[in-house]
Amino acid sequence: MAISSPGIGSNLDINGIVSQLMSIEQQPLVSLSQKEATHQAKLSAIGNLKSALSSFQSAVKALSEISKFQAVKVSAADATIASASGSSAAAPGTYSLEVTKLAQAQKLASAGQASAATAIGQGTITFDFGTIDIGAGSFNSTTGKYTGASFTSNGSGTKTITIDSSNSSLAGIRDAINKGNIGVTASIVNDGGASPYRLVLTETTTGKTSSMKISVAGDAALGTLLNHDPSAAPAGQGFSETVTAQNAEFKVDGIAVSKTTNTVTDVIEGVTLTLAKTNIGSPTNITVTRDTATVTASVNQFVQAFNQINQTLTDLSSYNATTRQGAILNGDATVRTIQTQLRSILTTAVGGDAGAYTLLSQVGVSVQKNGTLALDSTKLQKAVDSNFSDIAGLFAAVGKTSDSLVTYTGSATKTTVGAYALNITRLATQGKTTGQAGDPADLLIDASNDTLQVQVDGVAATITLTQKTYADAAALAAEVQSKINGASALSSAGASVKVTELAGVLTITSNKYGSASNASITGGNGQASMMGATPSASAGEDVAGTLNGVAATGSGQALTGATGSAAEGLKLMITGGSTGARGTVNFSKGYAYQFDKLVDSMLESTGPINSRTDGINASLKSLAQQKQRVSDRLVNIEKRYRAQFTALDMAMASMTKTSSFLQQQLDNLPKIE
């Protein structure tokens, strides 16, 4: 390989000359790099702005919820008796609470077994849940057995557990029950006796309507151990009841209340009570007050959130007149647009007449000359004290209805602020089937009429009724309801029914409202004897009505403003009442809600932030392409420079050689003396 040494022939500094020439040629590349750095800085600044907008949105979104401004404080004078919490629906006041009983779940213990691992038998265990009524009978607390009691199913549905060769021991039965997730937990207790292992069942639901009735189909030994009918003679009760199911019994302001659980949500409106201990004869007080501190804190958070995004926008777009230096996004149209839109919301009154306050200044929030917000705490406190419930309308999306059976449940971005006259033309109904008029259901259920094919809310199932003669139609109705609601195909789909009777005629009603609601008997050998030859079936209907004269969309009891109308997306729940004019719904969008939606539009894929980012990225891509073209051109230019100077070097070297030769020839000529 030839070794090149530019300039060696002429002593020219070719590398230095080319380098200096190329530094001049590279000026366009330097300029492009500077532009690229500027765009990268803008891209970073837009990223910071996007992050700041996201933080601002998170803050205002939290403040756009009405609960933030209608919070209440609920406290119990004696927290050992009960704890309490409340929602915005709770009315301020003081309530007396006296607890005489706590709700508890039933516990049953089986007869002892010598081993927990020895196989007992195989079969199907069926659990039913309901109420034990002693009536004129009795309960022996020593044996844990009832005499002369009755059992009424609560209609929630029976549950079954299959016991086969893989789980036929006491431990296997325990595991199968726990795995079945049927609302009963099982454990094994060693009582230290000759046959020490006892299966203990505990209902997971408290209250006297959740006592257990257990029946076994299959092996006799399994049946002897687990069959348990509280309405049967003691011999038919395989388990001993160690804890009796009972309701919580208490008084609120002297009014006696009985509930199946210790957590109560429907006694004092908007208040949840969790009972913990009895206090017979020593009532404690439950106090509900407005949580003005939370409201004040929320308004403060709103002011801080706005000031933070305002500061970010100012920092990114500022200009220093002294240094004559502008921030990286100084003069940027996107930033100016965002600032304008944010400030526009602040200076526009909230419409819709959903509250007494329509301007931030009415609650002490004012806009300063520099664009920030300032809070007058004294004025805010006065507004909170004088009109607490209307503060929410200034910040959240609020719908106020004039009919107590009409509830505002939500809105959409396109819902227009305003007042909407509501007219209901049809109330929602439930699907149902009623037996043939004047043809009471047959109370004798045997192999000839014990199956029914049912369809509830579009889901089909087949049930088998317990064969026996029922005491009355109400007992048969309870059995039908229990078996339908216990069908796994229905319960897994969330379908359930209520079965009632009138003059012995059964009516099966879906618990769902609307056009998707139906309940019918489609077959089975008990269809005719249960419902007669010509039962009357009707599907449910959706609520129907108008908002400001425009037909709304009904689904069950929910009515939603029609697409394209001013009320688009306005959601109401109609839970009763009559058809006809149902008053007015006043809808407003508070400042926090408006900011949330505005930032949503700014950050969406087609919004200004992403458009600006796309624009900068496009510029960067173009600059990269330009740089590549310049770089390619520079390579050729440098190559040309080197070729030219190499040629010069060679020419100068040749001339030097010729000069040396001629000099030698001249030096060798005879000298003239």
Side-chain angles (χ1 to χ4, degrees):
M1 177 183 290
I3 299 175
S4 175
S5 181
I8 193 169
S10 61
N11 289 324
L12 284 174
D13 180 10
I14 294 178
N15 284 333
I17 294 171
V18 171
S19 177
Q20 290 180 40
L21 290 172
M22 288 307 298
S23 67
I24 296 172
E25 295 288 350
Q26 286 173 344
Q27 286 304 312
L29 194 61
V30 172
S31 176
L32 290 172
S33 295
Q34 289 173 341
K35 289 181 179 178
E36 185 180 61
T38 300
H39 280 79
Q40 288 288 5
K42 287 185 177 180
L43 193 63
S44 177
I46 292 294
N48 291 337
L49 175 57
K50 185 175 183 179
S51 176
L53 284 170
S54 294
S55 298
F56 176 62
Q57 185 181 33
S58 296
V60 295
K61 184 186 285 292
L63 297 173
S64 67
E65 298 171 3
I66 191 170
S67 59
K68 289 285 184 181
F69 299 92
Q70 293 186 344
V72 296
K73 289 193 295 187
V74 184
S75 60
D78 186 346
T80 66
I81 302 301
S83 58
S85 60
S87 69
S88 58
T94 300
Y95 307 86
S96 169
L97 175 66
E98 181 181 2
V99 183
T100 54
K101 282 184 180 178
L102 292 176
Q104 61 187 29
Q106 185 191 40
K107 282 195 174 189
L108 302 175
S110 73
Q113 301 294 300
S115 169
T118 301
I120 297 172
Q122 301 176 34
T124 301
I125 309 171
T126 299
F127 290 80
D128 196 3
F129 307 94
T131 303
I132 299 172
D133 185 0
I134 295 180
S138 62
F139 174 71
N140 187 324
S141 60
T142 301
T143 63
K145 311 284 187 182
Y146 288 90
T147 299
S150 64
F151 177 87
T152 303
S153 173
N154 63 19
S156 62
T158 58
K159 308 292 183 183
T160 59
I161 297 294
T162 300
I163 303 299
D164 55 27
S165 58
S166 68
N167 56 10
S168 60
S169 67
L170 199 66
I173 295 169
R174 173 201 60 195
D175 295 342
I177 293 173
N178 288 333
K179 187 178 179 181
N181 193 27
I182 60 172
V184 176
T185 59
S187 60
I188 294 176
V189 172
N190 183 338
D191 65 9
S195 297
Y197 300 105
R198 305 178 67 185
L199 182 68
V200 176
L201 304 180
T202 303
E203 240 289 355
T204 55
T205 303
T206 57
K208 62 183 181 182
T209 58
S210 296
S211 296
M212 291 174 274
K213 177 183 176 181
I214 306 167
S215 56
V216 175
D219 189 273
L222 188 68
T224 300
L225 179 66
L226 302 180
N227 268 320
H228 180 79
D229 184 356
S231 64
Q237 300 171 44
F239 286 86
S240 298
E241 182 178 273
T242 57
V243 177
T244 300
Q246 70 178 28
N247 281 2
E249 307 284 350
F250 56 99
K251 292 181 179 178
V252 174
D253 287 346
I255 300 172
V257 179
S258 178
K259 294 291 180 182
T260 58
T261 70
N262 292 316
T263 299
V264 185
T265 60
D266 57 352
V267 174
I268 303 173
E269 186 177 10
V271 174
T272 297
L273 293 174
T274 301
L275 308 178
K277 194 171 72 173
T278 60
N279 61 339
I280 301 172
S282 302
T284 189
N285 283 336
I286 303 297
T287 303
V288 180
T289 58
R290 289 168 174 164
D291 189 357
T292 58
T294 295
V295 172
T296 301
S298 295
V299 176
N300 269 289
Q301 289 168 16
F302 173 81
V303 171
Q304 290 172 10
F306 181 84
N307 286 343
Q308 284 175 359
I309 186 63
N310 183 69
Q311 187 62 52
T312 299
L313 289 165
T314 300
D315 291 344
L316 291 174
S317 61
S318 63
Y319 177 76
N320 189 322
T322 304
T323 62
R324 298 184 178 180
Q325 293 292 318
I328 187 65
L329 295 180
N330 176 255
D332 188 282
T334 300
V335 174
R336 285 201 306 271
T337 300
I338 291 173
Q339 282 179 318
T340 301
Q341 289 178 327
L342 290 175
R343 290 170 182 172
S344 176
I345 288 178
L346 283 179
T347 55
T348 304
V350 173
D353 296 328
Y357 301 122
T358 58
L359 290 168
L360 285 170
S361 58
Q362 293 172 311
V363 297
V365 179
S366 57
V367 182
Q368 307 302 291
K369 289 182 179 177
N370 62 359
T372 62
L373 296 180
L375 176 61
D376 182 337
S377 298
T378 302
K379 194 171 183 178
L380 172 61
Q381 191 59 51
K382 186 177 179 180
V384 170
D385 293 340
S386 60
N387 215 333
F388 177 82
S389 60
D390 281 343
I391 297 288
L394 201 54
F395 295 91
V398 174
K400 275 192 171 182
T401 65
S402 58
D403 188 318
S404 62
L405 295 178
V406 178
T407 306
Y408 162 79
T409 59
S411 61
T413 303
K414 291 185 176 179
T415 308
T416 304
V417 168
Y420 297 91
L422 173 65
N423 189 289
I424 297 299
T425 55
R426 182 180 64 220
L427 291 170
T429 60
Q430 298 158 279
K432 64 181 180 181
T433 292
T434 299
Q436 184 173 339
D439 187 6
D442 191 348
L443 299 180
L444 173 60
I445 302 299
D446 55 25
S448 68
N449 64 349
D450 63 344
T451 64
L452 292 173
Q453 293 173 3
V454 300
Q455 187 171 65
V456 180
D457 302 340
V459 182
T462 298
I463 63 169
T464 302
L465 304 176
T466 302
Q467 295 180 15
K468 69 176 185 178
T469 300
Y470 288 84
D472 50 35
L476 179 59
E479 168 70 2
V480 175
Q481 177 177 309
S482 175
K483 289 297 170 63
I484 293 177
N485 290 340
S488 59
L490 299 175
S491 58
S492 60
S496 62
V497 301
K498 184 175 181 61
V499 182
T500 56
E501 66 87 20
L502 181 62
V505 176
L506 302 186
T507 295
I508 303 172
T509 305
S510 167
N511 286 329
K512 186 175 184 177
Y513 281 87
S515 56
S517 167
N518 59 70
S520 60
I521 303 298
T522 58
N525 60 18
Q527 182 179 22
S529 67
M530 201 74 60
M531 306 300 287
T534 56
S536 172
S538 59
E541 291 187 308
D542 296 316
V543 65
T546 62
L547 287 165
N548 279 356
V550 179
T553 302
S555 177
Q557 293 180 299
L559 193 69
T560 303
T563 300
S565 71
E568 179 174 346
L570 182 64
K571 298 180 186 300
L572 304 173
M573 186 65 71
I574 318 299
T575 55
S578 59
T579 57
R582 297 291 295 273
T584 302
V585 181
N586 290 300
F587 175 69
S588 68
K589 295 177 178 178
Y591 290 106
Y593 177 88
Q594 292 183 60
F595 278 134
D596 175 33
K597 298 306 176 187
L598 175 62
V599 176
D600 247 350
S601 67
M602 291 175 175
L603 297 180
E604 66 182 2
S605 59
T606 56
I609 294 295
N610 283 321
S611 295
R612 188 74 179 95
T613 301
D614 291 344
I616 295 175
N617 281 326
S619 297
L620 285 170
K621 184 178 179 181
S622 174
L623 286 171
Q625 292 170 341
Q626 292 179 54
K627 286 177 66 178
Q628 185 61 51
R629 287 196 293 271
V630 172
S631 296
D632 292 344
R633 184 166 58 84
L634 288 176
V635 169
N636 292 329
I637 290 174
E638 182 175 1
K639 187 183 295 182
R640 178 163 50 84
Y641 280 152
R642 289 193 177 279
Q644 291 172 341
F645 279 99
T646 298
L648 176 61
D649 176 43
M650 293 176 64
M652 291 182 68
S654 177
M655 292 175 67
T656 301
K657 187 176 179 180
T658 302
S659 175
S660 297
F661 173 76
L662 292 174
Q663 185 61 50
Q664 288 177 357
Q665 294 302 317
L666 289 173
D667 288 344
N668 291 330
L669 290 176
K671 294 181 174 62
I672 301 175
E673 297 292 336

